[in-house]
Amino acid sequence: MKLTLISHALCPYVQRAAIVLAEKGVAFERRDVDLANKPDWFKAVSPLGKTPVLLVDEDAVFESAVICEYLDDTLLPRLHPGDALQRARHRAWMEFGSSVLNTIAAFYNAPDTAALQSRREELAGRFMQLEAVLPAQGPYFSGEAFSMVDAVFGPVFRYFDVFEALGESGFFDAAPRVRAWRTALAQRPSVRQAVRGNYAAELTQFLRRRGAELSRRMEEIAPA
């Protein structure tokens, strides 16, 4: 079985799939596409025109959640809990992670100071919700075992490495368990290796080009 992950360098949903593939210890090829200039072959395998897509030999599986579930159904070790209720709980928090990604996008696209601050407070509130459900002893979402929820939040927390480098901090001040979880995920090889070495620089340039309030602050700090 040949596995090819159709990718975009900055896509957090691609990172999820890459993390799960790495945790499974399975060989795969990664193939990047330019989403601003989508080739015809990509349109043929991605009905929604988005990454990631996993090619299993010649069959295409699209949408990150579906890809991750397929991989957990077919490859060991299992990243979902064995108990059905706990699996449902984990899947719910995976969806929560997607909502956090939407708020992150709203943060870096915020048109003015007021909107940026509102999104900052919303993100801090999301992390307080996570703080309430994380175990006292980690290091991961459900304790010692790395799970699919961890694969979702590794890419979430990676954004804040860049935000903090730009002077945007304080998101985790009231959430010590989330801070510890973030640190543990950043040290996990599968999470570290889910992006290219120049990811931070590419994300910084992406943020600079948004024309949003954060972009203007970046220009004040270090004009292009």
Side-chain angles (χ1 to χ4, degrees), residues 124-204:
R126 292 294 193 196
F127 295 134
M128 288 306 298
Q129 290 176 276
L130 281 166
E131 183 77 7
V133 300
L134 287 174
Q137 300 297 323
Y140 301 121
F141 177 77
S142 57
E144 294 184 2
F146 186 93
S147 72
M148 201 74 80
V149 182
D150 298 294
V152 166
F153 276 91
V156 169
F157 294 140
R158 199 190 311 274
Y159 277 99
F160 294 89
D161 299 340
V162 174
F163 292 157
E164 290 168 355
L166 298 174
E168 301 294 331
S169 59
F171 298 93
F172 306 96
D173 285 353
R177 292 183 183 181
V178 177
R179 288 201 306 271
W181 184 30
R182 176 190 176 191
T183 298
L185 290 178
Q187 295 169 351
R188 186 88 176 182
S190 63
V191 176
R192 292 202 314 269
Q193 296 163 11
V195 294
R196 313 292 192 194
N198 61 347
Y199 169 85
E202 287 194 22
L203 179 57
T204 299

